């Protein structure tokens, strides 16, 4: 019995990457911050929310807590957030 070794590499992939278009100004907007439930993520997001209000005159910050850090936001939740908010920010890690 031998050992099979697979080489997962291939040649370079040349793709043109473009930056996403910037949205409107944060001023007067409603922003959702996604809390993944990890330790102290709520504190970090509260501080970010306050900074957004002070520095960018955000009208309202809405913090949405996910059911689990290991799962994405449910489709119904995502639709609700998209209807309610102008911007959604997710990104708390370890």
């Amino acid at each position: 019995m031998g050992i099979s070794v697979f080489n997962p590499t291939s040649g370079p992939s040349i793709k043109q990457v473009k930056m996403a278009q910037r949205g409107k100004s944060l001023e007067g907007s409603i922003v959702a911050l996604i809390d993944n439930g990890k330790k102290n993520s709520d504190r970090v997001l509260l501080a970010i929310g306050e900074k957004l209000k002070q520095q960018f005159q955000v009208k309202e910050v809405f913090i949405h807590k996910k059911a689990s850090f290991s799962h994405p936001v449910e489709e119904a939740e995502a639709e609700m957030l998209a209807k309610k908010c102008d911007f959604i920010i997710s990104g708390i890690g370890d």
Side-chain angles (χ1 to χ4, degrees):
M1 181 163 139
I3 296 175
S4 296
V5 178
F6 296 94
N7 182 353
T9 61
S10 64
S13 175
I14 301 173
K15 294 181 182 178
Q16 186 176 13
V17 179
K18 295 181 181 179
M19 298 288 288
Q21 290 185 352
R22 294 285 178 183
K24 63 180 187 172
S25 169
L26 286 172
E27 187 174 339
S29 65
I30 298 174
V31 177
L33 302 175
I34 307 294
D35 182 349
N36 64 5
K38 289 194 174 186
K39 186 175 181 177
N40 295 321
S41 63
D42 56 342
R43 292 181 184 187
V44 171
L45 293 175
L46 286 172
I48 290 170
E50 286 304 313
K51 193 72 163 174
L52 288 170
K53 288 179 184 177
Q54 293 169 1
Q55 190 170 347
F56 298 101
Q57 293 74 46
V58 167
K59 177 181 170 183
E60 181 182 350
V61 174
F62 176 72
I63 297 179
H64 178 77
K65 189 164 187 167
K66 289 187 351 176
S68 168
F69 65 85
S70 63
H71 293 89
V73 173
E74 297 290 330
E75 188 172 335
E77 294 173 312
E79 289 174 8
M80 179 272 299
L81 291 170
K83 288 178 184 174
K84 182 175 182 173
C85 304
D86 300 301
F87 295 92
I88 301 171
I89 300 171
S90 178
I92 298 295
D94 291 330

